[in-house]
Amino acid sequence: MRAAPYLLSLPALLLFAGVVIVPLVMTVLLSFHDWGQYKGIEPVFILKNWQEVLSDSYFHEMFWRTFRIAFFVTLLTAVFGAPEAYILNRMKSPWRGLFLLVILGPLLISVVARTLGWALLFGGSSGLVNKALISTGLISTPLPFMFTETGVVVALAHVLMPYMVMAVWAALQRLDPQIENAAVALGAGPFTVLRRIVLPQVMPGILSGAIIVFALAASAFATPAIIGGRRLKVASTLAYDEFLNTLNWPLGAAVAVLLLFALVVIVIGASRLVERRYAQVFG
Amino acid sequence: MSRNGPFALIFHTLFVTFMLAPILVVCWVAFTPEGFLSFPTDRWSLRWFYAIARYPEFVSAFWRSLWLGALSSAIAVTFSVPAALAIARHRFRGREAMTALFMSPLMIPHVVLGIAFLRFFTEIGLGGTFVGLVLAHIVIVLPFALRLTLASAIGLDRSIEHAAVSLGASEWTVLKRITLPLVLPGLASGWALAFINSFDEVTMTVFIAAPGTETLPVRMFLYIQDNIDPLVTSVSACVIVITVAALVVMDRAYGLERLLVGRGADGR
C-alpha cells in the first residue's frame, strides 16, 4: 500500500518530467549556446548571451521598464480592486452574485479580445477614453495611450484586476462581521473601522493578490505586444522577437530564463516576507 | 450589516464601467456598417459577421481551438484523477513537492513555457504539430483540472466507500460505482475550467503554433499585429458571446465563486 500514492500519480509525474522539466532544462542549456547569422545555433558552452543580457544597457532599460509596468499595474489593482471587493462584499443577495460575475467573468474572456477593446478605446487622439476625459474636464489635450507605458499599464490593470478582487474577496470571507459591529458599538466612526479593523485583516489578501498580479504583469505578453506595439518592448515581447523574428534563440532563452529567475526570487521573497509579517493571521 | 453609502456606489459604478467598457466596445464596433473602424450609432449591420465566413483561417482556427481545448482538458482530467486521489488520501514523502510540481504551470510565465516547448518540440520532431499543441495544453490546464478534482476528492465522505466495502463490494466496484460518481461534478467543472483556459491561451501557443496549426486566439493576435479592422472585432465579439454563455452555464451549474475563489459563500 505504501507504493499506492506513487503509482497513482505516476502518469502525471512522467508527463511533467518529460514535458515540463526536460524542456525547461533544455532552455537553460540553450541560453549558454552560441549563435551566428549564418551558422545558426552551436551547441557549445559560452557565457556570451548572459554577458550581453547583463551588461548591455538596452536590456537593463527593457527589464527596468518591464518591472516598472508591473509595479504600477500592481499599485492600480490594489488601490481600486481592494475597495471594490469590500463594497461588493457588503452588497445584498442578487446584486452581490451578479456583480461578482461581472467583475470576475472577464478573467475567462480571451485576453486578446479584451486588449483589442482597449486598443479601440484608446484609438489615437479621437479615442473614447480621451473624449470622456476631456468632457469631464480632467484633461484639456488628448493623452497618448497607444504605444505608451500608460496605455499598457491601464490595459494590464484591467486584464489582471479580477485576480486582486478575488484575493481580497477571499480574505473578506474570513472576516468576522462581529468585530466591525463591536468597533461601531464602542464608538468608532466608519473611517476608523475601515482603517483599524478591516484593513489590517484584509492586508494579507491584498499582499497575496499583489504578488500574483505583479508576477503576471511582469510576464504578460499579448497586452504589451498589442498596446505597446513593436517599439515599446518588455521582457516577454523581446524574447518573442528573438525567437520568431531574429531567430537568435540562445539570446531569447537567456532573456526568458532571467525573467523566470527574477520572478521566482521576487515571488518567493515577497511571500516569505508576507508570511512572516502576518504569521499570526496565517497560523 | 452596514450598507454602502452613495460614495461607495459611485465608485462601484465607475469600477464596473471600467471592467465592462473594453468588452462592450468590441461588440459595439463589430456591428459597424462601414469598411473601417467606427462606432455605429444609427445604422447597424451584420456585414462583418458574414465576412468571417469568407476567411477560412478564422473558421478553421476556431474548430482547432475547440478540439484542442476539449481533448487536452479531457486528458488533463484523466491524469489528475489518480493524482488527486493520491494527494487527498495519502501522506507520503514528496507529497508537497509533487503538488507544487503539478501546480507549477500556473507560476512559470507562459512565455517561458512557450520557449521551452518550442525548443523541445523542435528537437524531438513535434514542432508546429497538433500533437505538440495537445501535449503543451495538457500541461498548462492540468493545474485547473487538478485543483477542482482535488477539492472534490478531499470533500468526499469516506464512510460511503467503507459502507460499500463492508457490503462486499470489490475495490474496483467501489471506484467505479461510488468514488468516481461522487467526484464527477468536480471532474466536470475541472474540465470546463481547463477547457476555457485552453481555449483562451495565447502567450504559450503563439510560440509553438505553425501556420497550419494556429488556434483562434493566436490567429486573432497575429491578425491584430498586422492591422486592426472590423473583421477582428466581429470575431472577438463571437468569442466573447461564446465565453459569456459558457460562464453563465458554469455559474448556474457550479457557482463561479466556488470555481475561481475556492469555497463558495453558500458553503459557510
Side-chain angles (χ1 to χ4, degrees):
Chain A
M1 262 324 266
R2 277 178 59 200
Y6 298 105
L7 283 176
L8 283 170
S9 29
L10 194 63
L13 272 177
L14 286 176
L15 177 80
F16 270 65
V19 189
V20 178
I21 295 174
V22 170
L24 283 176
V25 171
M26 282 171 73
T27 309
V28 174
L29 290 178
L30 180 64
S31 70
F32 290 102
H33 288 352
D34 196 10
W35 180 84
Q37 190 95 48
Y38 301 105
K39 63 182 177 182
I41 299 167
E42 254 191 320
V44 290
F45 189 90
I46 50 163
L47 295 170
K48 190 180 91 178
N49 306 301
W50 284 96
Q51 276 162 356
E52 194 175 339
V53 169
L54 293 173
S55 64
D56 194 332
S57 64
Y58 174 74
F59 290 103
H60 292 172
E61 199 187 320
M62 184 273 303
F63 268 106
W64 172 233
R65 179 187 302 127
T66 306
F67 288 111
R68 186 169 56 220
I69 288 175
F71 171 78
F72 282 112
V73 170
T74 311
L75 194 67
L76 271 186
T77 54
V79 167
F80 292 102
E84 176 60 22
Y86 181 69
I87 293 169
L88 209 57
N89 193 39
R90 300 199 332 168
M91 286 191 165
K92 293 258 170 329
S93 180
W95 302 115
R96 195 175 137 113
L98 175 75
F99 283 118
L100 195 67
L101 185 70
V102 166
I103 289 164
L104 298 190
L107 200 61
L108 301 179
I109 292 174
S110 164
V111 67
V112 179
R114 281 184 284 163
T115 307
L116 173 67
W118 282 108
L120 296 173
L121 284 169
F122 291 154
S125 55
S126 63
L128 284 182
V129 171
N130 271 316
K131 277 186 185 154
L133 287 176
I134 290 171
S135 71
T136 54
L138 282 169
I139 54 169
S140 53
T141 50
L143 289 172
F145 283 109
M146 274 314 266
F147 315 120
T148 64
E149 278 185 39
T150 321
V152 176
V153 167
V154 172
L156 265 182
H158 174 264
V159 168
L160 299 176
M161 190 66 88
Y163 290 101
M164 178 61 80
V165 175
M166 234 153 62
V168 180
W169 173 268
L172 283 167
Q173 303 311 305
R174 291 193 291 268
L175 205 113
D176 185 355
Q178 292 304 328
I179 304 176
E180 265 185 84
N181 294 343
V184 174
L186 291 169
F191 186 71
T192 311
V193 172
L194 213 55
R195 193 171 60 88
R196 299 286 298 274
I197 307 291
V198 178
L199 194 62
Q201 291 191 82
V202 296
M203 210 53 199
I206 297 176
L207 291 175
S208 66
I211 293 171
I212 297 169
V213 170
F214 186 88
L216 290 173
S219 58
F221 170 73
T223 307
I226 293 170
I227 304 289
R230 293 180 199 282
R231 287 172 59 198
L232 197 78
K233 286 267 176 294
V234 294
S236 58
T237 52
L238 185 88
Y240 175 78
D241 253 22
E242 292 298 337
F243 264 83
L244 290 131
N245 295 331
T246 326
L247 298 180
N248 188 349
W249 285 19
L251 185 63
V255 171
V257 171
L258 187 59
L259 175 71
L260 175 65
F261 182 72
L263 278 179
V264 166
V265 168
I266 292 172
V267 167
I268 291 181
S271 308
R272 285 266 166 80
L273 272 181
V274 171
E275 273 169 41
R276 197 177 310 155
R277 176 85 176 72
Y278 292 95
Q280 70 274 28
V281 182
F282 283 108
Chain B
M1 188 105 188
S2 47
R3 308 271 305 262
N4 285 311
F7 180 74
L9 290 178
I10 291 170
F11 179 89
H12 171 73
T13 311
L14 288 175
F15 190 92
V16 170
T17 312
F18 171 76
M19 289 312 288
L20 289 182
I23 297 161
L24 294 179
V25 97
V26 169
C27 300
W28 185 19
V29 172
F31 287 100
T32 182
E34 311 291 349
F36 49 87
L37 288 174
S38 67
F39 299 102
T41 44
D42 48 346
R43 283 170 56 239
W44 302 72
S45 151
L46 292 174
R47 66 178 275 198
W48 289 107
F49 288 94
Y50 295 129
I52 299 172
R54 290 201 303 274
Y55 281 80
E57 294 98 327
F58 279 124
V59 181
S60 62
F62 169 76
W63 289 112
R64 191 172 301 112
S65 279
L66 220 55
W67 282 115
L68 176 62
L71 195 61
S72 54
S73 307
I75 300 173
V77 169
T78 315
F79 274 105
S80 65
V81 171
L85 288 176
I87 294 168
R89 311 194 147 175
H90 299 273
R91 296 285 171 271
F92 54 95
R93 270 169 79 94
R95 180 171 171 272
E96 273 74 33
M98 205 175 79
T99 315
L101 174 69
F102 292 152
M103 290 298 172
S104 66
L106 290 180
M107 284 313 294
I108 304 171
H110 277 196
V111 59
V112 175
L113 283 175
I115 285 170
F117 290 147
L118 174 60
R119 172 71 173 156
F120 178 61
F121 291 147
T122 313
E123 289 289 300
I124 63 168
L126 283 176
T129 62
F130 188 71
V131 178
L133 285 185
V134 173
L135 274 176
H137 275 239
I138 293 171
V139 166
I140 56 154
V141 301
L142 195 123
F144 300 101
L146 182 64
R147 203 173 66 195
L148 289 169
T149 320
L150 198 55
S152 62
I154 289 171
L156 200 78
D157 188 356
R158 294 295 297 265
S159 58
I160 305 174
E161 286 174 308
H162 295 154
V165 172
S166 73
L167 291 169
S170 70
E171 219 168 295
W172 173 242
T173 311
V174 172
L175 183 70
K176 197 175 55 158
R177 301 281 298 275
I178 311 287
T179 316
L180 284 183
L182 281 174
V183 296
L184 198 63
L187 296 194
S189 53
W191 181 88
L193 195 61
F195 175 84
I196 288 193
N197 275 287
S198 160
F199 191 78
D200 285 346
E201 213 297 322
V202 60
T203 309
M204 184 276 289
T205 317
V206 84
F207 282 91
I208 57 169
T213 51
E214 282 162 354
T215 62
L216 187 58
V218 168
R219 187 63 250 155
M220 283 160 61
F221 173 75
L222 295 174
Y223 193 94
I224 291 174
Q225 288 257 289
D226 287 334
N227 67 320
I228 300 179
D229 68 6
L231 179 65
V232 74
T233 64
S234 64
V235 174
S236 299
C238 291
V239 171
I240 290 170
V241 168
I242 293 169
T243 314
V244 170
L247 212 78
V248 170
V249 170
M250 274 160 60
D251 190 39
R252 282 285 147 80
Y254 196 77
L256 193 69
E257 187 191 351
R258 200 145 65 105
L259 203 60
L260 295 173
V261 186
R263 289 181 299 275
D266 52 338
R268 283 189 292 169

